[in-house]
Amino acid sequence: MIKKPSISFVVPTYKRDQYVKNLILSIQETTPENIYEIIIVSSDEADSEKIKWLEKQDNTKIYMPDVRSGSRKRSLAFYYNLGISKAENDWIFPLNDAM
């Protein structure tokens, strides 16, 4: 039996709530649910509405390495690499929260 490929979507995010919601909904609507995980690397406040919404989404893991207040503390590559290091699937797709 041929194994279906498994996919990890890695999404660094800060603010832009509606953009990330649209991205997550698009993945959920177009990707079979048993083959993917969504890894969110967020710098938002843990009690933000966006994080509360993300916590309710299936196949979604949230990592919050730091909270920033306007400017990024680390490079975007840091946030991508953190998400990639948490990926458990065969294929990794780095996305951004405005896709």
Side-chain angles (χ1 to χ4, degrees), residues 40-68:
I40 302 292
V41 183
S42 177
S43 294
D44 294 289
E45 296 284 342
D47 62 348
S48 71
E49 291 301 316
K50 178 170 116 181
I51 297 301
K52 290 177 184 176
W53 182 84
L54 287 167
E55 289 172 340
K56 296 176 185 174
Q57 303 310 302
D58 292 333
N59 301 331
T60 302
K61 299 175 185 175
I62 304 168
Y63 297 95
M64 300 182 70
D66 54 28
V67 174
R68 54 186 165 154

Side-chain angles (χ1 to χ4, degrees), residues 30-91:
T30 60
T31 310
E33 68 181 65
N34 60 341
I35 68 164
Y36 74 90
E37 66 179 349
I38 301 170
I39 299 170
I40 302 292
V41 183
S42 177
S43 294
D44 294 289
E45 296 284 342
D47 62 348
S48 71
E49 291 301 316
K50 178 170 116 181
I51 297 301
K52 290 177 184 176
W53 182 84
L54 287 167
E55 289 172 340
K56 296 176 185 174
Q57 303 310 302
D58 292 333
N59 301 331
T60 302
K61 299 175 185 175
I62 304 168
Y63 297 95
M64 300 182 70
D66 54 28
V67 174
R68 54 186 165 154
S69 57
S71 63
R72 184 181 297 137
K73 291 182 180 180
R74 299 182 176 137
S75 72
L76 182 57
F78 169 83
Y79 297 100
Y80 274 118
N81 287 333
L82 177 64
I84 289 167
S85 74
K86 304 294 185 182
E88 298 179 359
N89 292 326
D90 300 327
W91 294 90

